[in-house]
Amino acid sequence: MKKSWKYISVYGIFVASVYLFFSCSAVFEGGASGKVVDAESTETPKAGIQDVEVYVYTSEYKRNEDYQLYNGYGKFTPSGSSYIGHTTTNSDGNFSLGKLMWESDKPVFGKTGDSIPVFLLFYHENYGLQKNDNYAVILSDSVSYVVYQEMTAIRKTTTLNISILDASQDPETATRLPPAISQPVNVTVCVPQATSENPNVPAIKKEATITGTGTITVSYPRYSSGTTANIPEITITYGQSGENTAYKPCNYITTEGSENYSFIANIQATPITKQIQGTAVPIQLYMKPTVISMPPISGQLCLGTPASGTNDEGSTADDNVKVMLASVTNDGTLGTVLNYTSASVMTAPSGNGANGSRVIHGRFSGLGQGITWTDSSYAGKYSTKNVAVVFDMDNSGTISTNDRYYLLKNDESINRALRSNETARDVGKLTDSKLE
């Protein structure tokens, strides 16, 4: 009996050892590479898609489970331990995954090598989530080019080329649009994301600070719900930060008989709406200044009579006269001198008469330069400012009965009021008949 038990024990150990030897699993590693392209590309070969996230699974069941759990909007996030590899496509749509590891108890080539089928998911914001179309197998100790995947866009992208223009300025000849403003403006674009399949998806807001011109790129579902011909309608709000803003949004309707340049009272309540399609769309947003720089005033005092035999304009009596900038009252009459440094300049001759050249007496410039006025309610294209150019004839430093002045006001066609669209004003030669 002892011998038989001993025999059975030795035989059992031998059988177990043989089983363990032939059933011992091995760990292998290999890689996969491939390319993801746009199915609708008209290029040959088709254009690759950049920034596609590629996830590799060895379990088809786990791959399908992650695929089915995705709700169709928002960023795809797989379960943490379900996939064995992840990468992102480059600018040409190519990708490569190295050192994918798997364990096999029945290697195809014994302990020297193995192959394994893999199952992939591809995700891109504009193309959605998709399984690999072709069956993919990778070999150990190599990087197999096994994947060629086409994806059809489910979203579209449009670049908004935004120009923020000064509606108070005359259009430029080249563009037929007013010039761009030179101050930063905060722009917010609200882009709808709802579709018939997902009607409750909230809109996405994109924000940027733009000075003059800039771009905002927006993305939206390919088949947007509630729009004409699947063309999405975005809304835009814009404005400067803080309470003391230099520009405010305004209308810009130039149709004759229906002109409207009024300020938009509440841009948040009545945003700008635009339908967009294609890869790029120009967007013009209009603003008017509320803080307006006074155009510097220049001109010539010409009261004196030139000496006999000269061809001068005016005489030395027109030189060294103080020129003062004054307000105009509500009834259109002369007011008081403005309290600014540049509200007072002196007249001077232009030219020296050498070699018989002409001398222009009484020239002045820079009157009012740097002065601003505020107007947050003007309905028209321009804000206007009534002022008076006063010549201090008795050198008293104040307005007196001996002084002469020239009114710039709204009810005059020639010497009209200063406008917000002016960069300078030359009042020309002011002779006795033009002055009050």
Side-chain angles (χ1 to χ4, degrees):
M1 288 293 293
K2 287 183 179 180
K3 288 183 179 181
S4 62
W5 278 110
K6 182 177 181 181
Y7 174 78
I8 293 171
S9 176
V10 171
Y11 178 77
I13 292 171
F14 173 76
V15 171
S17 298
V18 171
Y19 175 80
L20 288 173
F21 177 80
F22 285 103
S23 64
C24 182
S25 64
V27 176
F28 298 91
E29 69 176 44
S33 64
K35 186 171 186 177
V36 184
V37 300
D38 188 330
E40 297 175 305
S41 171
T42 57
E43 299 178 19
T44 304
K46 292 183 180 296
I49 306 172
Q50 185 176 358
D51 296 330
V52 177
E53 295 192 59
V54 184
Y55 297 90
V56 182
Y57 300 73
T58 55
S59 167
E60 185 177 14
Y61 173 81
K62 289 184 178 181
R63 189 275 306 272
N64 292 344
E65 188 176 49
D66 277 354
Y67 178 81
Q68 292 165 0
L69 288 174
Y70 180 57
N71 60 13
Y73 64 91
K75 182 175 174 58
F76 167 68
T77 304
S79 53
S81 59
S82 58
Y83 60 94
I84 64 168
H86 169 246
T87 190
T88 304
T89 59
N90 64 15
S91 59
D92 296 321
N94 294 309
F95 70 90
S96 181
L97 285 153
K99 291 192 176 180
L100 300 174
M101 302 184 69
W102 69 92
E103 186 177 15
S104 176
D105 56 6
K106 294 181 179 180
V108 175
F109 307 107
K111 290 187 177 181
T112 60
D114 193 23
S115 66
I116 188 172
V118 290
F119 310 92
L120 293 86
L121 286 179
F122 305 91
Y123 171 75
H124 189 284
E125 177 187 9
N126 295 334
Y127 291 81
L129 183 66
Q130 188 172 328
K131 303 176 188 177
N132 59 302
D133 294 329
N134 57 315
Y135 186 73
V137 176
I138 60 176
L139 299 175
S140 59
D141 300 322
S142 67
V143 177
S144 308
Y145 188 89
V146 294
V147 179
Y148 175 82
Q149 184 65 41
E150 294 187 357
M151 298 185 76
T152 301
I154 62 169
R155 298 178 63 81
K156 290 189 174 183
T157 298
T158 298
T159 298
L160 310 179
N161 295 316
I162 298 174
S163 300
I164 303 175
L165 309 176
D166 186 345
S168 73
Q169 299 293 316
D170 293 326
E172 296 178 337
T173 304
T175 64
R176 302 309 303 162
L177 291 171
I181 70 172
S182 59
Q183 295 195 21
V185 175
N186 302 321
V187 179
T188 300
V189 179
C190 192
V191 189
Q193 302 297 310
T195 63
S196 56
E197 293 80 11
N198 295 295
N200 298 319
V201 181
I204 291 177
K205 289 185 177 181
K206 299 292 289 289
E207 299 179 347
T209 299
I210 295 175
T211 301
T213 59
T215 61
I216 296 178
T217 299
V218 297
S219 175
Y220 46 90
R222 182 170 187 164
Y223 302 105
S224 302
S225 64
T227 59
T228 304
N230 291 311
I231 302 174
E233 187 174 78
I234 63 172
T235 59
I236 305 173
T237 58
Y238 61 105
Q240 292 187 300
S241 302
E243 295 181 0
N244 299 318
T245 57
Y247 285 84
K248 288 186 177 180
C250 70
N251 297 292
Y252 191 74
I253 299 174
T254 60
T255 306
E256 188 174 355
S258 303
E259 295 90 343
N260 183 6
Y261 306 102
S262 61
F263 287 110
I264 299 174
N266 187 347
I267 190 68
Q268 301 297 328
T270 55
I272 304 299
T273 59
K274 298 283 184 181
Q275 284 195 321
I276 60 170
Q277 59 180 326
T279 57
V281 173
I283 302 288
Q284 286 90 41
L285 304 176
Y286 296 94
M287 305 185 83
K288 291 194 302 185
T290 57
V291 179
I292 299 148
S293 296
M294 183 173 293
I297 302 169
S298 61
Q300 179 192 5
L301 175 65
C302 190
L303 298 178
T305 303
S308 177
T310 71
N311 62 349
D312 292 359
E313 284 192 17
S315 71
T316 56
D318 299 318
D319 300 329
N320 299 311
V321 176
K322 180 178 288 188
V323 188
M324 301 181 296
L325 190 64
S327 62
V328 174
T329 63
N330 291 334
D331 60 4
T333 59
L334 182 62
T336 57
V337 176
L338 301 181
N339 186 24
Y340 297 93
T341 302
S342 64
S344 175
V345 296
M346 301 296 291
T347 62
S350 174
N352 56 19
N355 300 318
S357 63
R358 193 178 193 185
V359 177
I360 301 176
H361 297 280
R363 289 292 302 168
F364 66 93
S365 62
L367 183 64
Q369 186 163 1
I371 298 175
T372 61
W373 78 85
T374 301
D375 188 347
S376 301
S377 60
Y378 60 104
K381 191 173 184 179
Y382 317 111
S383 173
T384 58
K385 184 73 171 176
N386 294 339
V387 295
V389 178
V390 181
F391 297 97
D392 187 12
M393 304 306 295
D394 58 6
N395 200 29
S396 65
T398 60
I399 296 175
S400 62
T401 56
N402 293 324
D403 294 339
R404 306 296 299 274
Y405 60 91
Y406 184 72
L407 292 177
L408 300 172
K409 58 182 183 179
N410 280 328
D411 58 355
E412 300 290 341
S413 58
I414 298 176
N415 52 322
R416 57 177 171 78
L418 300 179
R419 284 183 174 181
S420 57
N421 67 323
E422 292 181 291
T423 56
R425 171 70 72 89
D426 189 341
V427 296
K429 185 191 298 185
L430 300 178
T431 59
D432 183 72
S433 62
K434 295 181 178 180
L435 296 176
E436 299 186 45

Coordinates of all heavy atoms in Angstrom, one line a residue, residues 156-162 189 206 214-220 234 275-283:
K156 N -20.2 71.5 -37.4 CA -19.5 72.4 -38.3 C -18.8 73.5 -37.5 O -19.2 73.8 -36.4 CB -20.5 73.0 -39.3 CG -21.1 72.0 -40.3 CD -21.9 72.7 -41.3 CE -22.3 71.8 -42.4 NZ -23.1 72.4 -43.5
T157 N -17.8 74.1 -38.1 CA -17.1 75.2 -37.5 C -17.0 76.3 -38.4 O -16.8 76.2 -39.6 CB -15.6 74.7 -37.2 OG1 -15.7 73.6 -36.3 CG2 -14.8 75.8 -36.6
T158 N -17.3 77.5 -37.9 CA -17.2 78.7 -38.6 C -16.4 79.8 -37.9 O -16.6 79.9 -36.7 CB -18.6 79.3 -38.9 OG1 -19.4 78.4 -39.6 CG2 -18.6 80.6 -39.6
T159 N -15.5 80.4 -38.6 CA -14.7 81.5 -38.0 C -15.5 82.8 -38.3 O -15.7 83.2 -39.4 CB -13.3 81.6 -38.6 OG1 -12.6 80.3 -38.3 CG2 -12.5 82.7 -38.0
L160 N -15.7 83.6 -37.2 CA -16.4 84.9 -37.3 C -15.2 85.9 -37.4 O -14.5 86.1 -36.4 CB -17.2 85.1 -36.1 CG -18.3 84.0 -35.7 CD1 -19.0 84.5 -34.5 CD2 -19.2 83.7 -36.8
N161 N -15.2 86.6 -38.5 CA -14.2 87.7 -38.7 C -14.9 89.0 -38.3 O -15.6 89.6 -39.0 CB -13.7 87.7 -40.1 CG -13.0 86.5 -40.5 OD1 -12.1 86.0 -39.8 ND2 -13.2 85.9 -41.7
I162 N -14.6 89.4 -37.0 CA -15.4 90.5 -36.4 C -14.6 91.8 -36.6 O -13.4 91.9 -36.3 CB -15.6 90.2 -34.9 CG1 -16.5 88.9 -34.8 CG2 -16.3 91.3 -34.2 CD1 -16.6 88.4 -33.4
V189 N -20.4 85.7 -27.9 CA -21.2 85.0 -28.9 C -21.9 83.8 -28.3 O -21.2 83.0 -27.7 CB -20.3 84.6 -30.1 CG1 -21.2 83.9 -31.2 CG2 -19.6 85.8 -30.7
K206 N -19.0 81.9 -26.4 CA -17.6 82.1 -26.6 C -17.3 83.6 -26.4 O -18.1 84.5 -26.9 CB -17.3 81.8 -28.1 CG -17.5 80.3 -28.4 CD -16.5 79.4 -27.7 CE -15.1 79.5 -28.3 NZ -14.9 78.9 -29.6
G214 N -10.9 91.1 -35.1 CA -10.4 89.9 -34.4 C -11.3 88.8 -34.9 O -12.2 88.9 -35.6
T215 N -11.0 87.6 -34.4 CA -11.8 86.4 -34.8 C -12.3 85.6 -33.6 O -11.6 85.6 -32.5 CB -10.9 85.4 -35.7 OG1 -9.8 85.0 -34.9 CG2 -10.5 86.1 -36.9
I216 N -13.4 85.0 -33.7 CA -13.9 84.0 -32.8 C -14.4 82.8 -33.6 O -15.2 83.0 -34.5 CB -15.1 84.6 -32.0 CG1 -14.7 85.8 -31.1 CG2 -15.7 83.5 -31.1 CD1 -15.8 86.4 -30.3
T217 N -13.9 81.6 -33.3 CA -14.3 80.4 -34.0 C -15.4 79.7 -33.1 O -15.2 79.4 -32.0 CB -13.1 79.5 -34.2 OG1 -12.1 80.2 -35.0 CG2 -13.5 78.2 -34.9
V218 N -16.5 79.4 -33.8 CA -17.6 78.7 -33.1 C -17.9 77.4 -33.8 O -17.6 77.1 -35.0 CB -18.9 79.6 -33.2 CG1 -18.7 80.9 -32.5 CG2 -19.3 79.9 -34.6
S219 N -18.4 76.5 -33.0 CA -18.8 75.1 -33.4 C -20.2 74.8 -33.0 O -20.7 75.2 -32.0 CB -17.8 74.1 -32.7 OG -18.2 72.8 -33.1
Y220 N -20.9 74.1 -33.9 CA -22.4 73.9 -33.7 C -22.8 72.6 -34.4 O -22.1 72.1 -35.3 CB -23.2 75.1 -34.2 CG -22.7 75.5 -35.6 CD1 -23.3 75.0 -36.7 CD2 -21.7 76.5 -35.7 CE1 -22.9 75.4 -38.0 CE2 -21.3 76.9 -37.0 CZ -21.9 76.4 -38.1 OH -21.5 76.7 -39.4
I234 N -26.9 82.8 -34.4 CA -26.1 83.1 -33.2 C -26.6 84.5 -32.7 O -27.2 85.3 -33.5 CB -24.6 83.1 -33.5 CG1 -24.3 84.2 -34.5 CG2 -24.1 81.7 -33.9 CD1 -22.8 84.4 -34.7
Q275 N -27.3 84.8 -38.9 CA -27.2 83.5 -39.4 C -25.9 83.2 -40.0 O -25.4 84.1 -40.7 CB -28.3 83.2 -40.4 CG -29.7 83.0 -39.8 CD -30.7 82.4 -40.7 OE1 -30.7 82.8 -41.9 NE2 -31.6 81.6 -40.2
I276 N -25.3 82.1 -39.7 CA -23.9 81.8 -40.1 C -23.9 80.5 -40.9 O -24.6 79.5 -40.5 CB -22.9 81.8 -39.0 CG1 -23.3 80.7 -37.9 CG2 -22.8 83.2 -38.3 CD1 -22.2 80.5 -36.9
Q277 N -23.0 80.4 -41.8 CA -22.7 79.1 -42.5 C -21.4 79.3 -43.2 O -20.9 80.4 -43.5 CB -23.8 78.8 -43.5 CG -24.1 79.8 -44.6 CD -25.2 79.3 -45.5 OE1 -25.4 78.2 -45.8 NE2 -26.0 80.3 -46.0
G278 N -20.8 78.1 -43.6 CA -19.5 78.2 -44.3 C -18.4 78.2 -43.3 O -18.5 78.2 -42.1
T279 N -17.2 78.3 -43.8 CA -16.0 78.3 -43.0 C -15.6 79.6 -42.4 O -15.0 79.6 -41.3 CB -14.7 77.8 -43.8 OG1 -14.6 78.7 -44.9 CG2 -15.0 76.4 -44.3
A280 N -16.1 80.7 -43.0 CA -15.8 82.0 -42.4 C -16.9 83.0 -42.8 O -17.5 82.9 -43.9 CB -14.5 82.6 -42.9
V281 N -17.2 83.9 -41.8 CA -18.3 84.8 -42.0 C -17.8 86.2 -41.5 O -17.3 86.3 -40.4 CB -19.6 84.4 -41.3 CG1 -20.6 85.5 -41.3 CG2 -20.2 83.1 -41.9
P282 N -18.0 87.3 -42.3 CA -17.7 88.6 -41.8 C -18.8 89.1 -40.9 O -20.0 89.0 -41.2 CB -17.5 89.4 -43.0 CG -18.4 88.8 -44.0 CD -18.4 87.3 -43.7
I283 N -18.4 89.7 -39.8 CA -19.4 90.3 -38.8 C -19.0 91.7 -38.6 O -17.9 92.0 -38.1 CB -19.5 89.5 -37.5 CG1 -19.8 88.0 -37.7 CG2 -20.5 90.1 -36.5 CD1 -21.3 87.8 -38.1

